[in-house]
Amino acid sequence: MKSFNVNGSTLFVALYTDITNSKELLESMQAGTMEPEVALLNASLIPDIFPVLAAAHKTLVAKSRDSLTTRTLHSELVYNYSGSKHITESLKRCGISDSTTYILAARFDATPDEIKAIEKLMNGKEIDLEELEVRANQPQIQKHYKISALELGISSLADAITCRIASRDAL
């Protein structure tokens, strides 16, 4: 698990592949019984860690203003990553489904015990974050974020997503 300093908090992130228990993870997340609480994102929609960090920053700003759109800090991270203003659609698209096998797990300010608990939750293999770029589903990302080939001629996929995350509330 790798850590990043975001706006005075620490975001712990781990990338998993060959997940076999996504249905159970989804059910416990929807029921609000997942311990510890963790954001689970569909990693095939993530070409780089930077847009996730931008979404994390936006999440922490919303928390500091007591203006979370979703019920929890970690669901807010998934919502902010999506770039959409529709909560349910955002969580379905960028969160996990019961058949997701490639997952990015993220937790704000995790203790060493919580990190171990997250590792135990995931029935799969942890892989390096460098794999994000190689395994990203570019056509699916372009469709979801409405990124044209013309835009990719002057920008990267990660930069295009980051711009959408940052500007969503302004539009």
Side-chain angles (χ1 to χ4, degrees), residues 46-56 81 132 158-159 162 165:
I46 305 171
D48 186 78
I49 196 65
F50 187 71
V52 176
L53 298 177
Y81 184 78
L132 284 171
D159 289 345
T162 303
I165 290 168

Side-chain angles (χ1 to χ4, degrees), residues 81-97:
Y81 184 78
S82 77
S84 170
K85 288 187 177 185
H86 303 284
I87 299 169
T88 305
E89 180 185 320
S90 296
L91 298 177
K92 282 183 181 175
R93 271 197 190 164
C94 293
I96 63 169
S97 70

Side-chain angles (χ1 to χ4, degrees), residues 57-68 169:
H57 181 270
K58 196 169 184 173
T59 298
L60 291 170
V61 168
K63 179 187 175 202
S64 73
R65 295 177 179 164
D66 288 327
S67 62
L68 291 179
D169 296 330

Side-chain angles (χ1 to χ4, degrees), residues 12-165:
F12 290 88
V13 179
L15 184 62
Y16 295 92
T17 189
D18 303 326
I19 295 292
T20 57
N21 65 330
S22 57
K23 184 175 183 174
E24 292 83 12
L25 292 170
L26 181 63
E27 287 170 355
S28 67
M29 199 167 42
Q30 289 174 334
T33 58
M34 182 175 280
E35 277 299 321
E37 181 189 310
V38 62
L40 301 175
L41 293 106
N42 178 353
S44 65
L45 294 175
I46 305 171
D48 186 78
I49 196 65
F50 187 71
V52 176
L53 298 177
H57 181 270
K58 196 169 184 173
T59 298
L60 291 170
V61 168
K63 179 187 175 202
S64 73
R65 295 177 179 164
D66 288 327
S67 62
L68 291 179
T69 305
T70 63
R71 286 186 290 185
T72 68
L73 186 65
H74 294 90
S75 62
E76 188 82 7
L77 176 59
V78 177
Y79 170 69
N80 282 328
Y81 184 78
S82 77
S84 170
K85 288 187 177 185
H86 303 284
I87 299 169
T88 305
E89 180 185 320
S90 296
L91 298 177
K92 282 183 181 175
R93 271 197 190 164
C94 293
I96 63 169
S97 70
D98 59 7
S99 61
T100 306
T101 60
Y102 182 46
I103 295 175
L104 183 87
R107 166 93 181 154
F108 287 102
D109 299 322
T111 64
D113 288 341
E114 288 171 335
I115 292 170
K116 287 178 188 162
I118 292 166
E119 290 167 353
K120 285 181 184 173
L121 278 175
M122 309 301 284
N123 289 348
K125 180 179 146 200
E126 185 174 351
I127 58 176
D128 195 82
L129 290 176
E130 302 297 320
E131 293 287 319
L132 284 171
E133 187 176 0
V134 179
R135 294 172 176 249
N137 185 336
Q138 186 164 337
Q140 189 179 6
I141 293 169
Q142 282 182 259
K143 181 181 175 189
H144 174 69
Y145 288 99
K146 298 178 179 89
I147 301 169
S148 68
L150 184 64
E151 183 177 359
L152 287 178
I154 58 168
S155 177
S156 72
L157 202 54
D159 289 345
I161 294 169
T162 303
C163 285
R164 282 157 177 77
I165 290 168

